Amino acid sequence: MQAKYLEAVFGLARRTALVTGASGGLGRAIARALGHAGARVVVNGRNPGRCAETLADLARLGVDAATAPFDVTDDGNQNIHVYALRTQRPFRLDDG
């Protein structure tokens, strides 16, 4: 009973998490944790190769994930990519 309650309150099923810095370290750990909680994970970082490594790691864990390598500190670049994430399947940020 308690597990169902916790899932209902804290579960992330049908949600999408864009994790910046997910190409390594703490960001990768956060991506794993969000995936384990049921979220679809969009892996973000500046290095496409390292993002792909995180994607492969998440796939091995059974996490539904995609990559979006771009520099979040570049306002123009950020806006283009977030717009694409908001409008394209399978990872629409607003379809949860």
Side-chain angles (χ1 to χ4, degrees):
M1 175 79 118
Q2 187 174 8
K4 286 185 179 188
Y5 169 76
L6 291 174
E7 176 63 29
V9 174
F10 298 109
L12 297 175
R14 298 182 317 275
R15 302 290 186 189
T16 301
L18 171 62
V19 183
T20 60
S23 59
L26 184 58
R28 184 176 285 178
I30 290 169
R32 285 183 192 137
L34 291 170
H36 282 300
R40 296 167 295 181
V41 177
V42 179
V43 175
N44 171 257
R46 293 176 292 186
N47 184 313
R50 291 188 63 200
C51 286
E53 291 171 10
T54 300
L55 181 66
D57 180 42
L58 294 173
R60 282 190 296 276
L61 298 172
V63 174
D64 191 8
T67 61
F70 62 92
D71 185 349
V72 297
T73 64
D74 179 341
D75 289 339
N77 197 14
Q78 176 188 24
N79 292 334
I80 290 167
H81 288 283
V82 170
Y83 174 78
L85 290 170
R86 290 187 63 82
T87 59
Q88 297 177 14
R89 295 250 177 227
F91 291 98
R92 286 186 52 180
L93 294 180
D94 60 347
D95 69 354

